Amino acid sequence: MTSNPGSVKRLLPGDAAPALILSRNLATGAHSPRVLFNETSIVVLWNAGCSGCLPAIATYSRAAKALGVPMYGVAIMVRDLDRTIEIARQTPTDALLAHEQVDPAQGGLSRGQVTRAWLEASGQRGIPAAFLIDRHGKIAWMGPLDDAILEPLRAVFDGAWDTEAARRHWENDVSDNDVIHLGIRRDIADAMLANDLERARSLIDEAERNRPELVHDHEFAMEKLILLAAVPETATAAGSYYDTCVRTFADDPLQTLSFTDCVLHRKVPVEMFSQAAHDALKRVEHQIDGMADQLIPRLRFHFTSARLCRRLGDEDGYQRCVDALRALAANEITSFDLKQLITAEIHRLHEER
């Protein structure tokens, strides 16, 4: 996938399954042979950073095995291969677990051919991402690996699946722009993780020229804000762009909190964004008043507000936020695990001072 605005290579139900280029079997260490899609098969993309991926693979590989359908669990965007091998070997599963082939010199997100030709081309945004392939080697269905796969698995195996309907559904659900935008964002993230900030800046500039609709894409906005906040030379621009972000996405309180956390954590000089942040958090406070039954937004609001107060030297405000967090932790409806998390985060707040 490239950021070329004039082209998009999509993967849809009815298309031939791309080559599945693997490096090695994670369980045995042996080189993975070429996969031939000449029978009903399942490909699942996962990553060791996804705690639910391997348990899901273990569960649904049993359903596949009952039909004699092979499942290939392919680890993608692997940045810690040893850790990936370790957890793969600890997971009993009927799937073949393998690592996608990646150029050893590649940094960043470590996106191999499988990441690009399967995950990004399909427009799937999360993992585990599953693909059902029919006996003719064509994609029959794709989506998250959950119970939704069971009906199409049986129908594809029986030769009774309506692939054209699945294609129409996916075309309606995920647009060409969605796929293009995903590739652009991944290219930018790649460059930033490789610490190639000049390339990241160039990609953002190109995207803004060629894809003006990205101004309404909160993930793109966050990547640009992170880049501007990364170096002192663009700190003023980061403050100004933060103001743009919280105004553009003013109807999304959680996104507003994420933008504010970004400039706070990256130590953009507080005078560059303090008024915009004050106004934004006031707006968020009113918005979460209507979300009384949702604990997480309130927790996030008080944690972000506490960090802003600390940066502004407002000790009284900081203490009010901490007191509000402790009250939420003491609430009888708050789970034990969440109480523990709140306590740990309050401790971290104090250590950051």
Side-chain angles (χ1 to χ4, degrees), residues 155-173:
V156 171
F157 182 77
D158 291 339
W161 180 247
D162 188 343
T163 300
E164 280 303 313
R167 185 183 185 93
R168 289 192 299 272
H169 170 79
W170 201 260
E171 286 176 324
N172 290 333
D173 202 43

Side-chain angles (χ1 to χ4, degrees), residues 91-113:
T91 305
T93 177
D94 293 304
L96 184 153
L97 300 180
H99 175 217
E100 71 170 330
Q101 186 170 301
V102 179
D103 182 347
Q106 182 179 340
L109 289 171
S110 297
R111 294 149 74 203
Q113 178 269 352

Side-chain angles (χ1 to χ4, degrees), residues 277-337:
H278 177 270
D279 295 344
L281 291 184
K282 278 291 183 186
R283 185 167 58 247
V284 169
E285 185 174 21
H286 290 304
Q287 289 168 324
I288 65 174
D289 279 346
M291 306 164 69
D293 58 333
Q294 298 182 45
L295 187 57
I296 298 302
R298 286 184 287 158
L299 287 173
R300 287 196 57 192
F301 168 73
H302 290 305
F303 276 119
T304 300
S305 298
R307 289 189 171 91
L308 178 61
C309 288
R310 188 185 58 232
R311 290 286 303 278
L312 292 171
D314 179 2
E315 289 300 318
D316 289 341
Y318 173 82
Q319 192 57 52
R320 283 195 297 273
C321 293
V322 172
D323 289 344
L325 288 165
R326 286 182 174 139
L328 289 172
N331 194 308
E332 61 182 15
I333 68 169
T334 305
S335 69
F336 176 78
D337 288 344

Side-chain angles (χ1 to χ4, degrees), residues 203-217:
L203 288 167
I204 287 173
D205 290 345
E206 177 189 358
E208 289 182 323
R209 286 194 305 272
N210 297 325
R211 289 282 167 183
E213 71 275 8
L214 278 168
V215 70
H216 300 294
D217 184 310

Side-chain angles (χ1 to χ4, degrees), residues 23 77 83 94 113 125 160 178 190 223 228 237 261 285 301 353:
S23 173
M77 295 188 287
R83 172 61 179 154
D94 293 304
Q113 178 269 352
R125 298 169 62 86
D178 291 334
D190 243 348
E223 287 184 328
L228 291 173
D261 288 337
E285 185 174 21
F301 168 73
R353 300 181 74 181

Side-chain angles (χ1 to χ4, degrees), residues 98-176:
H99 175 217
E100 71 170 330
Q101 186 170 301
V102 179
D103 182 347
Q106 182 179 340
L109 289 171
S110 297
R111 294 149 74 203
Q113 178 269 352
V114 176
T115 297
R116 296 172 187 272
W118 290 75
L119 183 68
E120 294 178 10
S122 74
Q124 294 203 62
R125 298 169 62 86
I127 52 174
F131 302 80
L132 266 172
I133 300 96
D134 67 20
R135 61 177 62 92
H136 305 294
K138 294 184 180 296
I139 302 292
W141 175 94
M142 52 194 191
L145 185 61
D146 56 27
D147 282 351
I149 198 174
L150 296 176
E151 179 186 348
L153 170 60
R154 182 79 233 189
V156 171
F157 182 77
D158 291 339
W161 180 247
D162 188 343
T163 300
E164 280 303 313
R167 185 183 185 93
R168 289 192 299 272
H169 170 79
W170 201 260
E171 286 176 324
N172 290 333
D173 202 43
V174 179
S175 70
D176 285 357

